Amino acid sequence: MAKELSQRQQQIVEFISHYMDEEGIPPTVRDIVRGCGLSSTSVADYNLRILEREGQLRRRPDISRGIEMPGWGRGVTRVPLLGAIAAGAPIPVPDTDTWQSAPLETVEVPAEMVGRAQGVYALRVKGTSMIDALIDDGDVVLLTLTRTVNNGEMAAVWLKSEKEATLKRFYQEKRRIRLQPANSALSPMWVSPQNVEVQGKVVAVLRRVG
Amino acid sequence: MAKELSQRQQQIVEFISHYMDEEGIPPTVRDIVRGCGLSSTSVADYNLRILEREGQLRRRPDISRGIEMPGWGRGVTRVPLLGAIAAGAPIPVPDTDTWQSAPLETVEVPAEMVGRAQGVYALRVKGTSMIDALIDDGDVVLLTLTRTVNNGEMAAVWLKSEKEATLKRFYQEKRRIRLQPANSALSPMWVSPQNVEVQGKVVAVLRRVG
DNA sequence: GCTGTAAGGGAACAACTGTTCTACAGGAGG
DNA sequence: CCTCCTGTAGAACAGTTGTTCCCTTACAGC
């Protein structure tokens, strides 16, 4: 069943990967012919059939550039990088207006990290106020747009009277809300429910080292 | 110059994004006609010209599915997730043999995080021995395959005599090597240069919250 | 009313492209 | 020798696809 690939077939697989890396779209059959120095489209077709049978790729019949390499392009989403969040600075709120109008800076994100979360956006963290939650200065956090969070979850909140935004752990207490910085050097703050507006909760963290 | 997009044009842009998310390849002009309920390909062409002029997309002339959305598909790589790393457990070493043979589990990664690093692979971290480096249990670390690291960099090292692998900060001292766990509860270990084999150094961290 | 512009409609052309059909060469196995 | 299989060639067909040409409609400004 799992035969070894001939040299031609390896060459073709490699070419297709290369082409997709370079061009961003799959090649046509004739692109393969040219790229691999084949003499006829039927040779390409012949080998593509085999490669499909061997599970190296899939072909969508009668569709131009219908070759699919397993796990290519799929499962990747772009989320808007709305800006930076620092204690004291306002977040650029994701209005439904601005949502699809302006061409914003975006971050590419593995879909696995987003899951089914809706309305995901990204913020770059400034400062070390979340250091105990293992979030460092310069990290990028992914948030999902929501108005409600559960106790202990990390959320971006807007404090109306102070006119500032922070990233904190959220705890609903009897009459008020405790916002706990994930940094043992900082003390928690208590605010009234009327004063807070949840802007989203953290679903993932991305960090580049070095 | 930067005119507002008409409703049609917004609809078309949205359709193209949608289509690419769904299908993984750009639509043809006639896909757009069908998807947007247009009556003629010339209407699509007319609006595509405008969208190109306004910088919303690019078109490669005479090439089927030649529409490019800025930053789509580009900059995403898949790296093999070779397994888990825990203090004491061996890493499945990325041999050049296994490199292209077995269909391994992979992780999708924004290329921005990888940069030009070659031979990148991923490991899932077990345990909290790297907690002070802001790496938690369950996080995924991206490593680049290298034999040499600079002082203070985080590296996956293989200890020959102990037959175990760990993720530690690496410090070359006079005659020996100090491996510093990024956890203040754990003490560093010193080993002889002959006993260590660097398997790669950490270039990025991915964490999923919740 | 006249004119210019934006937007849409219909049709056609020419090139592109997936697919198929036939033929040929070489080797393995009988 | 014959047959079967693999791999390669060349050509052709039909559907797909980017592009273009010409016409129509709506509307604002004059």
Side-chain angles (χ1 to χ4, degrees):
Chain A
M1 183 89 351
K3 289 245 202 81
E4 294 228 347
L5 298 183
S6 77
Q7 198 169 337
R8 261 272 182 276
Q9 285 147 22
Q10 283 184 31
Q11 183 194 15
I12 291 176
V13 168
E14 204 171 312
F15 171 78
I16 296 174
S17 298
H18 246 141
Y19 188 98
M20 291 174 82
D21 280 340
E22 292 289 310
E23 307 292 336
I25 54 176
T28 65
V29 175
R30 283 170 178 83
D31 286 331
I32 297 173
V33 168
R34 276 188 294 273
C36 295
L38 306 182
S39 54
S40 169
T41 59
S42 63
V43 179
D45 186 68
Y46 172 74
N47 286 288
L48 285 173
R49 273 170 206 275
I50 296 172
L51 288 170
E52 183 172 27
R53 172 158 42 81
E54 297 299 325
Q56 293 285 322
L57 47 80
R58 277 191 301 165
R59 297 176 79 188
R60 291 195 259 184
D62 294 309
I63 289 185
S64 73
R65 303 180 189 274
I67 295 175
E68 292 177 26
M69 296 290 276
W72 211 100
R74 233 136 276 244
V76 173
T77 20
R78 294 190 76 83
V79 301
L81 180 60
L82 295 178
I85 181 171
I91 312 181
V93 195
D95 286 340
T96 11
D97 307 333
T98 63
W99 191 252
Q100 59 175 347
S101 65
L104 288 163
E105 191 182 359
T106 59
V107 188
E108 266 160 357
V109 173
E112 314 158 358
M113 297 191 81
V114 177
R116 335 206 129 278
Q118 289 295 310
V120 176
Y121 59 99
L123 295 173
R124 187 172 298 279
V125 175
K126 293 291 179 197
T128 57
S129 63
M130 298 301 287
I131 199 79
D132 285 1
L134 307 176
I135 298 176
D136 200 2
D137 181 42
D139 287 6
V140 172
V141 290
L142 264 45
L143 299 103
T144 177
L145 198 51
T146 176
R147 303 277 109 152
T148 58
V149 293
N150 299 322
N151 271 0
E153 288 184 329
M154 244 179 308
V157 296
W158 174 252
L159 302 176
K160 290 178 194 166
S161 56
E162 287 86 350
K163 290 202 194 313
E164 63 176 54
T166 35
L167 205 56
K168 293 226 167 34
R169 288 199 185 278
F170 183 96
Y171 294 94
Q172 172 82 52
E173 298 188 339
K174 282 163 237 163
R175 286 198 123 84
R176 53 191 189 172
I177 288 167
R178 188 172 96 241
L179 297 176
Q180 181 85 46
N183 183 336
S184 45
L186 305 175
S187 37
M189 60 190 299
W190 284 269
V191 293
S192 80
Q194 290 80 24
N195 195 28
V196 308
E197 197 171 79
V198 174
Q199 308 251 351
K201 71 176 182 186
V202 176
V203 296
V205 183
L206 310 177
R207 178 184 317 136
R208 207 172 151 178
V209 178
Chain B
M1 184 88 346
K3 287 246 203 82
E4 292 228 348
L5 299 182
S6 76
Q7 200 169 335
R8 261 273 182 276
Q9 285 147 21
Q10 282 185 32
Q11 183 194 15
I12 291 176
V13 168
E14 205 172 310
F15 172 77
I16 295 173
S17 298
H18 233 245
Y19 188 98
M20 291 175 82
D21 280 339
E22 292 289 309
E23 308 292 338
I25 54 176
T28 65
V29 174
R30 282 169 179 83
D31 287 331
I32 297 173
V33 168
R34 275 188 295 273
C36 296
L38 306 182
S39 53
S40 170
T41 58
S42 62
V43 179
D45 186 67
Y46 171 72
N47 286 286
L48 285 173
R49 272 171 206 275
I50 296 173
L51 288 170
E52 184 173 25
R53 172 157 43 82
E54 297 299 324
Q56 293 285 320
L57 46 81
R58 276 190 303 167
R59 298 176 79 189
R60 291 195 258 184
D62 294 309
I63 289 185
S64 73
R65 302 180 189 274
I67 295 175
E68 292 179 24
M69 296 289 276
W72 210 100
R74 239 138 267 247
V76 173
T77 18
R78 292 189 78 84
V79 302
L81 180 61
L82 294 178
I85 182 172
I91 312 182
V93 195
D95 286 339
T96 10
D97 307 333
T98 62
W99 192 251
Q100 60 175 347
S101 65
L104 288 165
E105 192 183 358
T106 59
V107 190
E108 266 160 357
V109 173
E112 314 158 357
M113 299 191 80
V114 177
R116 336 207 127 277
Q118 290 295 310
V120 175
Y121 60 99
L123 295 174
R124 188 173 296 279
V125 175
K126 294 290 180 198
T128 57
S129 63
M130 298 302 286
I131 198 78
D132 284 2
L134 307 177
I135 298 175
D136 201 2
D137 181 41
D139 287 5
V140 172
V141 290
L142 264 45
L143 300 103
T144 178
L145 198 51
T146 176
R147 303 280 115 162
T148 58
V149 292
N150 299 321
N151 271 0
E153 287 185 329
M154 245 180 307
V157 296
W158 173 252
L159 301 176
K160 290 178 192 164
S161 56
E162 286 86 349
K163 289 202 196 315
E164 63 176 54
T166 35
L167 204 57
K168 294 230 166 32
R169 288 198 185 278
F170 183 96
Y171 294 93
Q172 172 82 51
E173 299 188 339
K174 281 163 238 160
R175 288 198 122 85
R176 53 189 190 174
I177 288 165
R178 186 172 97 242
L179 297 176
Q180 180 84 46
N183 183 334
S184 47
L186 304 175
S187 38
M189 60 190 299
W190 285 268
V191 294
S192 80
Q194 290 79 22
N195 195 28
V196 308
E197 196 170 79
V198 174
Q199 308 250 349
K201 73 176 181 185
V202 176
V203 295
V205 184
L206 310 177
R207 178 184 316 137
R208 214 176 142 173
V209 179

